[in-house]
Amino acid sequence: MKIQILIPHYHETAEIIEPLLDSIAIQQQVDFGEVGAVIAYDGADAYTLPVKEWRKKYPFEIKHIHAKKGGVSATRNAALDAATADYVMFCDADDMFCHACGLYIIFNEIKQGFDTLTSCFIEQTKTPDGLFTFINHDMDSTFVHGKVHRREYLIEKNIRFNPALTIHEDSYFNILAQNLTESAKYCPTPFYLWRWRDESVCRHDKDYILKTYNNMLDSNDALVEQFIERGHEDKACFYIGFMVFDAYYTMNKKEWTDKTNKGYRDAVEKRFSRYYAKYKARFDSLSDQERMIISNGVRSRSVGEGMTMEILTIGEWLEHISKLER
């Protein structure tokens, strides 16, 4: 089999998942004998799906497994362990292919060979007045969406989701996959749609980033430890630099300087103080030019996300951080 779509599942109903399966079934110019799906139940209390009926309805193989309850990262790992295809693609249960030639595009990329493929993908979102709109995401490392991997590469390099991470777990996995190979490719044609769902907390909770920034620090911390363990000091230092500048510029965004959010800011700065103490020597080892390159990239993105003029210099902010009780 050429490719399997790996789908973690917990409380999504058949009505939520069927658009994804339908979008696979309408793919053009592909041999469905080369296509499969693995649906992994996250624990015994996962919503039961009509898999037997689906196997009769759809022209591609559908496996389902019962993983031990452990959250999205552990369930994706279980799906990967159950996979047998040459290539795998992780897909959330409420998303779908947005292009009827999506698999044809992927198969053409496979013919040329790659360890990991990152594609442009489309996000469906809602405006404040309730209208749907669509956003293109290009060179993305944050989300699992629109990524395809050679299965044996993931096994050989022991690239897996970190079970301890259930928020910002995608970036940990993606960055490892993209950085541990010389055979990474980019596909500019979008074939994956990240669908809007009103129940999705990360999209309609205005305080979501405030509440989960510490999870991003945890994810980056785990990522840096992986690079150090694998002997990639240069990559470890780069992502430490990225995290330091991201935290600094984030603290200058309007929502973080708002006094009503002081509790969130204090919690993040306290967590960051432990992170900075742990990796300060490696951050200091970055050259001025390396810091400038990282800083310029992060600042440019942060300005687009609503960053205001810096209140403190980064040196002043890091001095403040170093004095916090850890």
Side-chain angles (χ1 to χ4, degrees):
M1 186 176 293
K2 193 64 66 178
I3 189 169
Q4 285 172 304
I5 316 301
L6 310 185
I7 308 164
H9 157 70
Y10 179 49
H11 53 62
E12 296 86 0
T13 64
E15 290 73 24
I16 290 172
I17 300 179
E18 282 182 350
L20 167 58
L21 302 178
D22 290 342
S23 74
I24 299 172
I26 65 167
Q27 293 298 303
Q28 301 298 300
Q29 300 298 309
V30 297
D31 175 1
F32 283 110
E34 297 290 341
V35 179
V38 178
I39 301 173
Y41 285 33
D42 182 11
D45 60 337
Y47 186 90
T48 301
L49 298 170
V51 177
K52 288 184 179 179
E53 289 80 355
W54 284 348
R55 286 175 179 149
K56 297 175 184 177
K57 176 180 178 181
Y58 293 108
F60 50 89
E61 179 186 86
I62 299 177
K63 289 183 180 179
H64 81 287
I65 62 168
H66 292 269
K68 183 179 178 181
K69 180 68 177 174
V72 65
S73 292
T75 307
R76 284 178 179 150
N77 286 338
L80 177 59
D81 290 339
T84 56
D86 297 336
Y87 288 81
V88 294
M89 173 182 171
F90 294 96
C91 191
D92 288 342
D94 54 354
D95 293 339
M96 63 186 293
F97 280 84
C98 62
H99 197 311
C101 296
L103 283 176
Y104 175 79
I105 293 166
I106 293 171
F107 279 17
N108 278 342
E109 297 288 353
I110 287 174
K111 288 177 184 177
Q112 301 173 52
F114 61 82
D115 285 336
T116 187
L117 173 75
T118 299
S119 76
C120 174
F121 70 89
I122 298 174
E123 173 187 1
Q124 179 187 37
T125 188
K126 240 182 199 180
T127 63
D129 55 2
L131 297 176
F132 283 115
T133 186
F134 296 89
I135 302 169
N136 270 27
H137 290 264
D138 296 321
M139 291 298 289
D140 165 76
S141 293
T142 303
F143 303 102
V144 75
H145 316 322
K147 315 292 190 298
V148 183
H149 313 280
R150 186 169 65 86
R151 186 175 63 86
E152 285 298 326
Y153 162 66
L154 299 180
I155 294 171
E156 289 164 7
K157 295 291 186 178
N158 193 27
I159 300 172
R160 300 173 66 80
F161 287 88
N162 186 324
L165 303 173
T166 55
I167 301 174
H168 296 293
E169 78 287 348
D170 296 16
S171 57
Y172 168 90
F173 181 91
N174 292 334
I175 292 170
L176 279 180
Q178 293 164 8
N179 278 269
L180 297 180
T181 180
E182 298 297 323
S183 183
K185 294 190 69 177
Y186 173 68
C187 174
T189 306
F191 51 77
Y192 188 107
L193 176 64
W194 178 19
R195 296 172 66 208
W196 174 272
R197 197 147 64 95
D198 287 333
E199 296 83 0
S200 177
V201 175
C202 71
R203 305 246 238 141
H204 64 69
D205 184 348
K206 66 181 180 61
D207 294 333
Y208 182 78
I209 298 299
L210 295 167
K211 294 174 180 176
T212 64
Y213 194 86
N214 276 350
N215 298 99
M216 188 166 123
L217 278 162
D218 293 341
S219 177
N220 179 277
D221 196 351
L223 175 68
V224 168
E225 287 185 346
Q226 276 292 303
F227 282 133
I228 293 170
E229 182 180 320
R230 294 167 185 260
H232 295 285
E233 278 288 332
D234 56 335
K235 296 183 186 299
C237 290
F238 173 85
Y239 283 101
I240 290 166
F242 169 85
M243 192 73 257
V244 169
F245 283 107
D246 189 89
Y248 168 60
Y249 289 125
T250 293
M251 293 300 103
N252 284 283
K253 292 178 183 177
K254 184 178 179 181
E255 62 269 30
W256 291 93
T257 58
D258 187 331
K259 291 182 180 179
T260 61
N261 292 327
K262 184 178 183 300
Y264 291 125
R265 183 188 182 102
D266 289 348
V268 167
E269 288 192 335
K270 186 174 182 180
R271 170 66 181 92
F272 181 78
S273 71
R274 299 195 299 274
Y275 178 94
Y276 184 60
K278 182 177 180 180
Y279 295 123
K280 182 179 184 303
R282 286 185 167 89
F283 177 72
D284 290 343
S285 73
L286 290 167
S287 68
D288 289 342
Q289 183 178 15
E290 288 170 327
R291 292 191 202 188
M292 181 181 69
I293 291 171
I294 298 170
S295 174
N296 286 346
V298 177
R299 190 180 194 281
S300 176
R301 189 204 71 215
S302 298
V303 168
E305 295 173 347
M307 190 193 88
T308 57
M309 186 65 70
E310 297 93 319
I311 299 170
L312 301 174
T313 67
I314 188 165
E316 291 170 335
W317 183 68
L318 290 176
E319 184 178 353
H320 156 70
I321 289 295
S322 297
K323 293 177 181 177
L324 292 178
E325 182 181 346
R326 290 187 284 275

